[in-house]
Amino acid sequence: MTSLRLALLSLLALSSTAQSQDLLQAWNQALAHEPQFGAAQAAHQADQEQVPQSRAQLLPQISAIGTTELQERRQTSKLSNQQSSDRAAWTLTLSQPVYNRNAWARYERAQLLAQGADIQLTLDRQDLMLRVSQSYFDVLAAQDTLSTLKAQQAAIDEQLRAADQNFQLGGTTITDTYEAKSRLDLTRASVLQAENTLQVAQDKLAALTLERYETLARLREPLRLPAPEPTNLQTWLDQSSQSGLGVALADIKARAAEEQLKGTQALHEPTLALKAQTGSGSDQTLFGQAGGGPRSLNSALGLELSIPIFRGGETSSQVREQSSRLQQARYDHQFAIQQSIQQTRQYFSGVTTGLVRVQALEAATKSSQDAVEANKLAYEIGVRVNIDVLNAQQQLYEAQRSLAQARYEVLMNSLRLKAASGTLNENDLRAVNDLLQPES
């Protein structure tokens, strides 16, 4: 019943609608409900428990043992002449490690792995930010494509009526009508495909937020996209190669592998522990040796030295294994630095060139709008033919779609650039959200 109730609640949440949603609201919903990030948080909590577990091997260990037994003795020549006795005993043992380099190395490694778990959780949080932002802008892009296609369909339909009217009046041939009708049929097919693309994009966003919204806040008009700050590429490269989260995590893993090697090498070394023991037996002594007098309490205190001599070559093999693991971790660290630098270059270029492309597409959109008006006027006075108007309209709507997509790509590349440098946080999402306005 509990599982069924949870499934119903999830279904209701997924199917609910609201009036409007912006990027920050989508992020908060995903942060609270997205299962992949929830699993990452659980894994982080589990990894933190390695520290107290390894520290416990350095702290006192206390154990209590109680035994009861029946002892029976018979002669070997004759199984008769049986003698039997009952015995009960208890012992309390305290052990405190004095020198155990393997345990210390495991403790140091656990602390490093806990730090790595913190970094990994931050990486998962940044990944969720990027996934929510990408899904959000994918929905906006799909809506832009659908709206421009519908506008294009309406414009072609209007041009079709004009071509048909001119044909009826004998001003043009039937060719103009056929051209407009063919372009209209193609546009209708594109509209159907765009509607399906929008549905898929909305489903992906709803899977992250567990809530579906009727409308999303859109980019403001006019819009001024921010340039990367600082504007120097080398500053970004230095930041990502030194403080990028992927680089930091790889460095932590390399240091943990080094501690693992130290701990494995320490298996060749002796260990020293303080041992204290007390106990009593029902036959007056702890060790089962009968004696006169009242029942006694036996206690012992001393140092226990353990010297490993030969383990069949297992320790040497483990040392060789961990040496190779350490080498692997160091290579992974170098690769993480190279990958971080490559991604930083890519995203920085994506932002800077994207801003120039947006400016060019804004100019292209304006000039395409002017071209449409000019071709319409020229068609009306007989200077241009119908196909010229249709081509000008198609060029306009393609420029509008490209402009919208270019803006979304600039914003996503700016977020990815900060993620590559390890600085992406909620303030960056809030800055992007300030560029949005509720859809009227």
Side-chain angles (χ1 to χ4, degrees), residues 105-150:
R106 291 201 304 266
Y107 177 57
E108 294 292 338
R109 178 176 180 270
Q111 289 182 309
L112 289 171
L113 292 179
Q115 297 176 23
D118 293 337
I119 297 175
Q120 183 61 57
L121 183 62
T122 306
L123 277 170
D124 293 331
R125 186 183 179 91
Q126 289 188 348
D127 177 69
L128 180 61
M129 288 185 187
L130 295 177
R131 287 190 288 126
V132 170
S133 301
Q134 185 65 69
S135 297
Y136 188 94
F137 290 134
D138 284 346
V139 173
L140 292 185
Q143 289 177 343
D144 291 336
T145 299
L146 181 60
S147 61
T148 54
L149 283 173
K150 287 184 175 180

Side-chain angles (χ1 to χ4, degrees), residues 54-101:
S54 59
R55 185 173 57 237
Q57 304 304 313
L58 302 172
L59 300 178
Q61 309 288 321
I62 301 175
S63 62
I65 301 176
T67 61
T68 180
E69 58 185 21
L70 173 64
Q71 297 180 348
E72 184 179 276
R73 293 184 295 276
R74 295 176 182 268
Q75 294 180 351
T76 56
S77 59
K78 297 180 181 180
L79 295 179
S80 58
N81 298 327
Q82 174 184 352
Q83 294 180 356
S84 62
S85 63
D86 295 329
R87 181 178 184 271
W90 63 270
T91 58
L92 182 65
T93 303
L94 168 66
S95 176
Q96 169 61 58
V98 177
Y99 177 79
N100 190 330
R101 200 161 71 93

Side-chain angles (χ1 to χ4, degrees), residues 79 126 144 164 182 186 281 293 304 311 321 348 436:
L79 295 179
Q126 289 188 348
D144 291 336
D164 187 64
S182 174
L186 291 174
E304 181 180 272
R311 297 179 58 190
E321 176 192 356
F348 184 86
L436 303 176

